[in-house]
Amino acid sequence: MAGKVSLSSRAYSVLALHALKHPKLAVSGVLLGRSHADITNAVPLTHVALALAPCIEVALTLIAKHAEQSKEQIVGFYYADARGEKLTSVPPLVAKLGEAAVSAAQASGGDASGVSLLLLDADRAESGATALGLQLFVKGGGQSWTCAGDHSASGASGRLSVGGNPANLVDSYVDENRHERVVDFDDHFEDVEKDWRNAALTD
Amino acid sequence: MATSLSLTEVAALKAEISSAKKTSMNSVRRLLTLMRETQRKDAQLVSTHGDAFLKSSAIKPVPDEERFLIYEQVAIAACECGDVEVADRCVSRLESRFPGSIRAGRLRGMVEEASGDIDGARATYAKLLQEHPSSQMVLKRMVAIERTAGDLQSAIKALNHFLNHYMADADGWAELADLYLEAGMHKQAAFCLEELILIQPHTFCHHLRLGETLLSYATNLEEKIVAYKHLCTACELCAGAHPRVLWSLLACVSSMASKKAGASSSGRGGATAAMEEIDVNVARLASKQLKKLYAKADPDLAATAQAAVLDMLGDIPDCLDD
């Protein structure tokens, strides 16, 4: 699986804003796309309850059903650690989430191979550097997740490329306090009127 | 106590202060007081405007007791959002007014933590503990500092030590449950939540969290039945008004009795045995309640939710309200 993975500007904005809304907490979310190489959207999942499986599974079911409507599928997930340091390996809870995302993808008839995991180092993202602080992990043939490279300033040569000028875009969104408006499933499960699709977030 | 009236006032003051060109110091003072009383947090707001208040002439008429509470409040807020200079100034003021005070000493440790001097903070707390070995405040900082340093196992050890002495501290059990969950140690987290429930048996979110925790590692029917009971209790205590409780309950029932969720149809712990433990009326009521809540949400979201519920409970006889 040596293909490139492209992340849309929208997907990057959503995950970065989610992390910025909860700077002291670990956040996680799901990546949607047409194929595992083409990530078009992100759905924020948790900022508190990553370890609690039942509602995570409900959330994945809801996301998968919603994705069907736009012919998308769950192709990966993202995670930003509470401490904002560069992670060198995938934390166990996150790997478990990965497995759940893979099963959800399989259950809805999608392609589960090559599911991507993006780890975000939120400190670097906040400073608006051209390197976005993203690391791509993939499931190789084996059981473990291995790092397939980071997003670097010279994005084209890396495996991960991100569309548009995402750092500047996110900076401008933060200036407008858009990060306060991010809704994840932890929020939705408190108040179902909160819309986890976040459609207007990147308008 | 956070009454709805005081919370409304907090929200109004926050809005006023955030948007005003020239901030009213009276409003800031009132907001700081309310936030102490209602225990609301907004670190950046308190740090920025609290600091401005302390530097302004509005601080002069404030009586001593209130004044030093404000210094403490602003110091803590400043530590939380990394305004180390502000925090340091506030704490220095408190240290000069109350030399040798453990309360000021603990704040000094927090400033050291906020500025990244973990070893300095550890030394400060260790010294305080020598003079006051049973200080709850300092013992809790010992836990917090391990969490700051990213050492989950040490934080767990320190908190266990604290709870050995203060076993009626509900916040402590809740925090330990959180630490265990973060470490993926669900069984231990469940134990902590059980202790928490002994202390606060009528708080629905403890039963919810325990139910979800149990369900996260349960493999056999017996374990799932315990989760089911706690989720039913949570439902009763919140009068079926909380979406997360309802979803968790439906997920539990599905996991116990739905073939789609992997419950085998026969044998010990199978779907048939599960059906004897589940009251289908509970499941029906829960799914009806959920539908009611979603009626106020976006119609597309409601439809997706309905489809998911059908998936989860569709093959269990009589579970869905039709």
Side-chain angles (χ1 to χ4, degrees), chain B residues 102-136:
Chain B
I102 191 176
R103 201 160 155 178
R106 171 262 224 164
L107 289 173
R108 175 53 61 193
M110 285 174 79
V111 174
E112 285 167 335
E113 280 186 63
S115 63
D117 182 9
I118 305 291
D119 291 328
R122 275 210 187 98
T124 303
Y125 296 140
K127 187 152 168 280
L128 286 170
L129 271 180
Q130 272 180 352
E131 295 154 33
H132 311 268
S134 56
S135 163
Q136 291 197 40

Side-chain angles (χ1 to χ4, degrees), chain B residues 21-22 44-45 49 55 63 94 182 184 233 256 262:
Chain B
K21 282 218 172 93
K22 187 159 159 42
Q44 196 58 67
L45 199 73
H49 295 286
K55 283 177 171 157
L94 289 168
E182 203 182 312
T233 305
M256 288 163 82

Side-chain angles (χ1 to χ4, degrees), chain B residues 208-236:
Chain B
L208 170 63
R209 193 151 261 233
L210 178 53
E212 287 194 79
T213 304
L214 290 169
L215 214 48
S216 298
Y217 73 81
T219 44
N220 61 45
L221 186 61
E222 277 78 26
E223 290 169 334
K224 291 181 188 179
I225 288 169
V226 182
Y228 172 73
K229 287 181 177 169
H230 280 287
L231 291 171
C232 286
T233 305
C235 215
E236 193 184 0

Side-chain angles (χ1 to χ4, degrees), chain A residues 24 51 53 65 188-189 197, chain B residues 80 186 216 244 294 298 311:
Chain A
K24 289 178 283 188
K65 285 202 179 306
H188 178 76
F189 286 139
R197 294 170 301 181
Chain B
E80 273 192 37
H186 289 75
S216 298
R244 200 182 176 101
Y294 270 95
D298 181 280
D311 254 10

Side-chain angles (χ1 to χ4, degrees), chain B residues 24-26 29 52-62 67:
Chain B
S24 149
M25 286 299 144
N26 277 339
R29 183 179 172 185
F53 178 79
L54 288 169
K55 283 177 171 157
S56 76
S57 55
I59 188 70
K60 294 208 177 82
V62 177
R67 176 197 304 245

